[in-house]
Every structure is written in structure tokens, then in C-alpha cells.
Amino acid sequence: VEFKLAYGGKILLNTTHFHVRRGRIYGLLGHNGCGKSTLMRAISSGALAGFPGAEELMKLRACFVDHDIDGSDANVPTIDFCLQEPVLAPLGREKIRQKLLEMEFTAELIAKPICNLSGGWKMKLALARAVLSGADMLLLDEPTNHLDVKKVAWLTTYLTSLTQCTSIVISHDSKFLQDVVTDVIHYERRKLIRYP
């Protein structure tokens, strides 16, 4: 797709090309404030005209994953938090529970209110919800924030195992990016430039 992107009165991207392929992991790089998160939110909301997801004909299920889980549901148990999501509710409690167990949640964590989860577990919960939604594209904004070394290793293994899902990652963790990305998309003079 070719598009422009602005935030308020500020032009972030000016008539740039954007092309991603299924199964690839893209590192989205650029200086702070250049519009990386704004671009990911535009993709996830279907706001990029011409990009699959903006039109019903080529509906693309993109899921924006960041570590800030809304605190308004703080006392809701983890599994019920997932069941509140309209896309996930039809899956049922048992299928959601199985996916959480696969993602290393314990029975105790599944029953715990989300306010008692650490930042790392909240990030894993956000990722579990994205995976359960059957996303074609994962948009990960600083996914390694609050993760310990073991969880970063798990996330690296998990992302690199996805063959039918495209991932776009923003991260300040250069080792993590080095371990997962197949391509880099770099903000340069209000354009997106892709490098292998």
C-alpha cells in the first residue's frame, strides 16, 4: 500500500510504500516520536486505506499487543478477562484455559485477578489474547518490557515458530530484535525503507 500518516497536525509519513509478507518478522525502527506506535495503531484499526483490513473484501485480522492492560478490570480473574473479549468468548472457557496453560500460565495464575499479575505475565496475557483471536498479524509494541530473561527466551522461540502470522515489532532490546527479525523497516525522512 502507498499512504500518508499524520498525528494531529504533524506529518509522520509522507506518501510512503508499505509491504509485508506472511510469516515474516519485521523490526520497526526509528527515533522516539517518529510515529512507530501510531503506525501500528492505524494498521490494527484498519485506518490505512488500501491495506488489507481497511476493506471487508480482504479482511486482515491485526492485533495490537502492548504491555498496558487496562486497569479498569483489575479484579477480574485472568480467564474471565479473556472471556470478556467478544472475539474470544465463543471459544469457551476450556479452550482459553488450554491455550493459557500452553503459554506457561499455571492454574493459580489463570484464577488470579489480573491486578495480581506482574508486568511480564500481563504481557504474556496480552499475547495469549492475540493468539487466541487468530490474528494474521501481530503488532508488538515493546514486548520485552517487564519480561525476565526466561520469558524473553520463550517469546523469541514463540515468535520465530509462527509461519502463518506476520509480526511487526518495536523494541529497544537490540539482542531480542537480532534474534527474531527477518527484515527491518526503518523510518527515514518520512518514508519507510525495508532492509533484509
Side-chain angles (χ1 to χ4, degrees), residues 43-69:
I43 293 168
S44 69
S45 65
L48 285 189
F51 192 72
E55 289 82 30
E56 283 301 315
L57 178 64
M58 292 183 56
K59 194 65 178 163
L60 179 79
R61 191 175 284 165
C63 192
F64 184 70
V65 179
D66 65 359
H67 57 278
D68 296 327
I69 285 182

Side-chain angles (χ1 to χ4, degrees), residues 3 23 44 54 60 62 69 72 76 104 125 129 139 184 189 193:
F3 68 98
S44 69
L60 179 79
I69 285 182
S72 62
V76 175
E104 300 179 348
L125 177 58
R129 289 169 68 202
L139 306 165
V184 169
R189 295 182 295 283
I193 310 296

Side-chain angles (χ1 to χ4, degrees), residues 63-132:
C63 192
F64 184 70
V65 179
D66 65 359
H67 57 278
D68 296 327
I69 285 182
D70 183 16
S72 62
D73 298 314
N75 292 317
V76 175
T78 301
I79 193 157
D80 294 328
F81 181 71
C82 292
L83 284 163
Q84 288 176 350
E85 191 78 28
V87 177
L88 303 184
L91 296 175
R93 182 174 289 273
E94 192 49 38
K95 187 164 185 185
I96 291 172
R97 185 176 180 285
Q98 283 307 120
K99 180 52 77 176
L100 291 172
L101 289 170
E102 278 174 39
M103 295 181 83
E104 300 179 348
F105 279 81
T106 63
E108 182 190 359
L109 286 171
I110 291 170
K112 251 185 187 182
I114 60 169
C115 64
N116 293 343
L117 296 178
S118 69
W121 283 111
K122 284 181 181 174
M123 176 48 96
K124 269 187 120 168
L125 177 58
L127 186 61
R129 289 169 68 202
V131 170
L132 282 161

Side-chain angles (χ1 to χ4, degrees), residues 22 77 99 102 155 157 190:
R22 183 182 297 276
K99 180 52 77 176
E102 278 174 39
L155 181 61
T157 303
R190 296 194 180 98

Side-chain angles (χ1 to χ4, degrees), residues 1-33:
V1 67
E2 185 176 277
F3 68 98
K4 295 178 182 177
L5 183 69
Y7 184 75
K10 183 180 179 186
I11 294 174
L12 302 172
L13 291 167
N14 189 15
T15 317
T16 192
H17 293 276
F18 183 65
H19 183 138
V20 292
R21 294 181 182 276
R22 183 182 297 276
R24 309 285 287 182
I25 302 172
Y26 297 88
L28 185 59
L29 305 180
H31 61 83
N32 287 341

